[in-house]
Amino acid sequence: MLDNKGFDLWAEGYDASVGLSDAEGRYPFAGYKQVLGEIYRRILRAEAKTVLDIGFGTAVLTAKLYEQGCAVWGQDFSEKMIALAKEKMPEAGLYRGDFSQGLAEPLKQNRYDAIIATYSLHHLTDGQKTDFIKSLLPLLRSGGCVYIGDIAFDSQADLEENKVRIGDEWDEEEHYFIVENIRAAFPTMQFQRFSFCAGLFTIVK
């Protein structure tokens, strides 16, 4: 797993490297643009006004929502990525912090129409994922939605099969979503697949 310094170094070329992986349909970012595009469409369709982005990176998605008039809040642990995001969203409430240790206090004081986490929560263990998602639900307004776009496999067997197929490129330090496991913790959670290794989870309050 990259630490904050690693992400600082990766920040300048992050969008390009993700885009190349997605365009070629390769692990780990196959389906990336489709996932983000679907979240964007759903948030605009729901007329969400306040959005919290967990691990927003270079603000590929939230900058587009910001342009549509959404009030954007967010947390990331890379100073460089925060700086790049601030250039796109000067009025956004962006905070630095490691979300594995929880949200920055000011973010807990707001209530949101939508909470987004795209390709960020796979840095958490399965137990941490469950606890963190549960901590987000009280921050939603009634009718609000959590959108989690990430690397995900249907079952442990599916993950293991892909791990063998992908070989040396597989990242052993990440904790990818297993759909059947996360559904056990959140029975009302919906999942839509966009590639062999990516999909969108949604929870409506």
Side-chain angles (χ1 to χ4, degrees), residues 153 155-164 170 176-178:
F153 299 95
S155 63
Q156 186 65 39
D158 182 33
L159 182 148
E160 296 297 338
E161 182 180 318
N162 277 281
K163 180 179 176 180
V164 171
W170 185 267
Y176 298 132
F177 280 90
I178 295 175

Side-chain angles (χ1 to χ4, degrees), residues 73-87:
W73 302 77
Q75 180 168 323
D76 200 281
F77 71 171
S78 166
E79 284 186 1
K80 184 69 172 179
M81 289 196 178
I82 292 171
L84 291 171
K86 267 289 189 185
E87 289 177 7

Side-chain angles (χ1 to χ4, degrees), residues 40 56 74 97 139 172:
Y40 176 81
F56 51 81
L139 303 181
E172 293 282 1

Side-chain angles (χ1 to χ4, degrees), residues 42-43 46-52 111-116 136-147 188 201-205:
R42 290 191 192 186
I43 287 176
E47 299 183 345
K49 301 300 182 187
T50 54
V51 178
L52 170 63
R111 293 297 175 267
Y112 306 95
D113 298 316
I115 299 176
I116 304 168
L136 296 177
L137 297 178
L139 303 181
L140 282 175
R141 293 194 174 107
S142 179
C145 191
V146 173
Y147 300 95
T188 63
F201 299 92
T202 56
I203 308 175
V204 180
K205 184 171 181 180

Side-chain angles (χ1 to χ4, degrees), residues 75-205:
Q75 180 168 323
D76 200 281
F77 71 171
S78 166
E79 284 186 1
K80 184 69 172 179
M81 289 196 178
I82 292 171
L84 291 171
K86 267 289 189 185
E87 289 177 7
K88 301 175 185 177
M89 308 182 296
E91 300 300 319
L94 305 180
Y95 294 84
R96 185 183 176 196
D98 182 351
F99 57 78
S100 70
Q101 306 300 316
L103 290 180
E105 284 302 320
L107 298 177
K108 296 178 185 178
Q109 307 309 312
N110 296 326
R111 293 297 175 267
Y112 306 95
D113 298 316
I115 299 176
I116 304 168
T118 54
Y119 292 81
S120 55
L121 298 192
H122 60 254
H123 298 307
L124 303 179
T125 66
D126 289 351
Q128 288 175 321
K129 285 187 189 74
T130 299
D131 291 344
F132 186 67
I133 294 168
K134 285 180 178 177
S135 77
L136 296 177
L137 297 178
L139 303 181
L140 282 175
R141 293 194 174 107
S142 179
C145 191
V146 173
Y147 300 95
I148 302 168
D150 215 318
I151 299 160
F153 299 95
D154 292 331
S155 63
Q156 186 65 39
D158 182 33
L159 182 148
E160 296 297 338
E161 182 180 318
N162 277 281
K163 180 179 176 180
V164 171
R165 184 175 64 82
I166 290 162
D168 291 343
E169 291 185 18
W170 185 267
D171 191 337
E172 293 282 1
E173 296 185 354
E174 309 290 21
H175 306 280
Y176 298 132
F177 280 90
I178 295 175
V179 177
E180 64 182 18
N181 292 355
I182 200 73
R183 271 207 182 122
F186 301 97
T188 63
M189 176 179 275
Q190 300 296 311
F191 178 72
Q192 182 177 357
R193 180 162 295 287
F194 287 92
S195 78
F196 73 95
C197 65
L200 173 60
F201 299 92
T202 56
I203 308 175
V204 180
K205 184 171 181 180

